[in-house]
Amino acid sequence: MDETLESQIQFLIEIDKLKTIERRTRIIHGERLENDAEHSWHLAMMALILHGHANKEIDMLKVIKMLLVHDLVEIDAGDTFAYDTQGNTDKHERELKAAHRLFGMLPEDQAEELLSLWMEFETKETPEARFASSMDRLQPIIHNHQNEGDTWQKYNITSDQVLNRNAEIANGSATLWKYAQQIVQDSVDQGILKQSGF
């Protein structure tokens, strides 16, 4: 078999492991936890549907590529819970090492492209990265609201924590940040998210 094709197929086989990485959030229409592959697909769909709410004009193909690539590193690094302050201290180093290993399986041009997309997502310096990050932050808020605060309650998360953690949604979409704030307020009002200070 052609060496390029073989390396591409091996990479595709390797990234199937993303389906085994569980997140802390339940799927909306069931009791099981969402996996990283489902999360990435859902974010890509969200971007496709919600891109009209981006603060700036964006290259949608680039956003979707970023969203499909952004969590592949968790195959090696694992999913770090958003509110785990200890786990987040070395998250970037673990994920960078994983990025080099995983993307390094590909032919050089593709390895460079995927690493560049991943780094762009991480640094959030472009309109595309900021909008992609907004999708990544908004989706768990929607899931938790739909799941009656399941993860928030399980880990004793407060409204201030949710708002502080996710304020960067505004960098990609002021409209979606306003929507996220309303979801948080509705969740507090419904008693499924603890108000900070109580």
PDB file of all heavy atoms in Angstrom, residues 166-178:
ATOM      1  N   ASN A 166     -17.501  30.771  31.200  1.00  0.00           N
ATOM      2  CA  ASN A 166     -17.997  30.833  29.832  1.00  0.00           C
ATOM      3  C   ASN A 166     -18.142  32.233  29.261  1.00  0.00           C
ATOM      4  O   ASN A 166     -18.655  32.402  28.156  1.00  0.00           O
ATOM      5  CB  ASN A 166     -19.323  30.077  29.756  1.00  0.00           C
ATOM      6  CG  ASN A 166     -19.129  28.614  30.072  1.00  0.00           C
ATOM      7  OD1 ASN A 166     -18.471  27.893  29.328  1.00  0.00           O
ATOM      8  ND2 ASN A 166     -19.652  28.170  31.195  1.00  0.00           N
ATOM      9  N   ALA A 167     -17.650  33.247  29.963  1.00  0.00           N
ATOM     10  CA  ALA A 167     -17.778  34.631  29.495  1.00  0.00           C
ATOM     11  C   ALA A 167     -17.140  34.849  28.131  1.00  0.00           C
ATOM     12  O   ALA A 167     -17.556  35.722  27.373  1.00  0.00           O
ATOM     13  CB  ALA A 167     -17.166  35.589  30.521  1.00  0.00           C
ATOM     14  N   GLU A 168     -16.169  34.013  27.774  1.00  0.00           N
ATOM     15  CA  GLU A 168     -15.509  34.195  26.480  1.00  0.00           C
ATOM     16  C   GLU A 168     -16.420  33.852  25.302  1.00  0.00           C
ATOM     17  O   GLU A 168     -16.054  34.108  24.153  1.00  0.00           O
ATOM     18  CB  GLU A 168     -14.198  33.425  26.411  1.00  0.00           C
ATOM     19  CG  GLU A 168     -14.327  31.937  26.308  1.00  0.00           C
ATOM     20  CD  GLU A 168     -12.966  31.254  26.187  1.00  0.00           C
ATOM     21  OE1 GLU A 168     -12.046  31.573  26.951  1.00  0.00           O
ATOM     22  OE2 GLU A 168     -12.849  30.395  25.304  1.00  0.00           O
ATOM     23  N   ILE A 169     -17.601  33.317  25.550  1.00  0.00           N
ATOM     24  CA  ILE A 169     -18.570  33.133  24.462  1.00  0.00           C
ATOM     25  C   ILE A 169     -18.782  34.472  23.749  1.00  0.00           C
ATOM     26  O   ILE A 169     -18.909  34.528  22.532  1.00  0.00           O
ATOM     27  CB  ILE A 169     -19.917  32.576  24.995  1.00  0.00           C
ATOM     28  CG1 ILE A 169     -19.758  31.132  25.475  1.00  0.00           C
ATOM     29  CG2 ILE A 169     -21.008  32.660  23.920  1.00  0.00           C
ATOM     30  CD1 ILE A 169     -20.982  30.573  26.182  1.00  0.00           C
ATOM     31  N   ALA A 170     -18.782  35.561  24.526  1.00  0.00           N
ATOM     32  CA  ALA A 170     -19.003  36.902  23.966  1.00  0.00           C
ATOM     33  C   ALA A 170     -17.953  37.275  22.933  1.00  0.00           C
ATOM     34  O   ALA A 170     -18.234  38.058  22.016  1.00  0.00           O
ATOM     35  CB  ALA A 170     -19.025  37.945  25.084  1.00  0.00           C
ATOM     36  N   ASN A 171     -16.748  36.731  23.038  1.00  0.00           N
ATOM     37  CA  ASN A 171     -15.685  37.037  22.071  1.00  0.00           C
ATOM     38  C   ASN A 171     -16.010  36.516  20.673  1.00  0.00           C
ATOM     39  O   ASN A 171     -15.538  37.057  19.686  1.00  0.00           O
ATOM     40  CB  ASN A 171     -14.352  36.450  22.531  1.00  0.00           C
ATOM     41  CG  ASN A 171     -13.897  37.042  23.843  1.00  0.00           C
ATOM     42  OD1 ASN A 171     -14.277  38.150  24.199  1.00  0.00           O
ATOM     43  ND2 ASN A 171     -13.099  36.290  24.590  1.00  0.00           N
ATOM     44  N   GLY A 172     -16.806  35.450  20.621  1.00  0.00           N
ATOM     45  CA  GLY A 172     -17.195  34.888  19.335  1.00  0.00           C
ATOM     46  C   GLY A 172     -18.574  35.322  18.891  1.00  0.00           C
ATOM     47  O   GLY A 172     -18.847  35.443  17.700  1.00  0.00           O
ATOM     48  N   SER A 173     -19.452  35.557  19.879  1.00  0.00           N
ATOM     49  CA  SER A 173     -20.822  35.953  19.553  1.00  0.00           C
ATOM     50  C   SER A 173     -21.477  36.635  20.744  1.00  0.00           C
ATOM     51  O   SER A 173     -21.806  35.972  21.738  1.00  0.00           O
ATOM     52  CB  SER A 173     -21.666  34.738  19.140  1.00  0.00           C
ATOM     53  OG  SER A 173     -23.023  35.116  19.006  1.00  0.00           O
ATOM     54  N   ALA A 174     -21.679  37.933  20.640  1.00  0.00           N
ATOM     55  CA  ALA A 174     -22.369  38.674  21.703  1.00  0.00           C
ATOM     56  C   ALA A 174     -23.798  38.162  21.861  1.00  0.00           C
ATOM     57  O   ALA A 174     -24.311  38.052  22.977  1.00  0.00           O
ATOM     58  CB  ALA A 174     -22.369  40.164  21.381  1.00  0.00           C
ATOM     59  N   THR A 175     -24.428  37.819  20.758  1.00  0.00           N
ATOM     60  CA  THR A 175     -25.809  37.312  20.785  1.00  0.00           C
ATOM     61  C   THR A 175     -25.896  36.004  21.562  1.00  0.00           C
ATOM     62  O   THR A 175     -26.792  35.820  22.406  1.00  0.00           O
ATOM     63  CB  THR A 175     -26.333  37.097  19.345  1.00  0.00           C
ATOM     64  OG1 THR A 175     -26.249  38.331  18.639  1.00  0.00           O
ATOM     65  CG2 THR A 175     -27.764  36.592  19.336  1.00  0.00           C
ATOM     66  N   LEU A 176     -24.968  35.081  21.289  1.00  0.00           N
ATOM     67  CA  LEU A 176     -25.004  33.779  21.969  1.00  0.00           C
ATOM     68  C   LEU A 176     -24.597  33.895  23.431  1.00  0.00           C
ATOM     69  O   LEU A 176     -25.052  33.108  24.266  1.00  0.00           O
ATOM     70  CB  LEU A 176     -24.139  32.768  21.219  1.00  0.00           C
ATOM     71  CG  LEU A 176     -24.659  32.423  19.813  1.00  0.00           C
ATOM     72  CD1 LEU A 176     -23.713  31.462  19.106  1.00  0.00           C
ATOM     73  CD2 LEU A 176     -26.075  31.849  19.851  1.00  0.00           C
ATOM     74  N   TRP A 177     -23.759  34.878  23.772  1.00  0.00           N
ATOM     75  CA  TRP A 177     -23.415  35.106  25.173  1.00  0.00           C
ATOM     76  C   TRP A 177     -24.651  35.599  25.942  1.00  0.00           C
ATOM     77  O   TRP A 177     -24.935  35.150  27.035  1.00  0.00           O
ATOM     78  CB  TRP A 177     -22.260  36.081  25.312  1.00  0.00           C
ATOM     79  CG  TRP A 177     -21.949  36.462  26.735  1.00  0.00           C
ATOM     80  CD1 TRP A 177     -21.826  37.726  27.228  1.00  0.00           C
ATOM     81  CD2 TRP A 177     -21.714  35.584  27.849  1.00  0.00           C
ATOM     82  NE1 TRP A 177     -21.532  37.684  28.573  1.00  0.00           N
ATOM     83  CE2 TRP A 177     -21.460  36.383  28.983  1.00  0.00           C
ATOM     84  CE3 TRP A 177     -21.705  34.202  28.001  1.00  0.00           C
ATOM     85  CZ2 TRP A 177     -21.199  35.863  30.240  1.00  0.00           C
ATOM     86  CZ3 TRP A 177     -21.436  33.664  29.259  1.00  0.00           C
ATOM     87  CH2 TRP A 177     -21.195  34.492  30.355  1.00  0.00           C
ATOM     88  N   LYS A 178     -25.413  36.485  25.328  1.00  0.00           N
ATOM     89  CA  LYS A 178     -26.650  36.952  25.946  1.00  0.00           C
ATOM     90  C   LYS A 178     -27.608  35.774  26.152  1.00  0.00           C
ATOM     91  O   LYS A 178     -28.251  35.656  27.197  1.00  0.00           O
ATOM     92  CB  LYS A 178     -27.287  38.032  25.057  1.00  0.00           C
ATOM     93  CG  LYS A 178     -28.458  38.734  25.675  1.00  0.00           C
ATOM     94  CD  LYS A 178     -28.940  39.878  24.784  1.00  0.00           C
ATOM     95  CE  LYS A 178     -30.139  40.578  25.407  1.00  0.00           C
ATOM     96  NZ  LYS A 178     -30.651  41.656  24.556  1.00  0.00           N
TER      97      LYS A 178
END
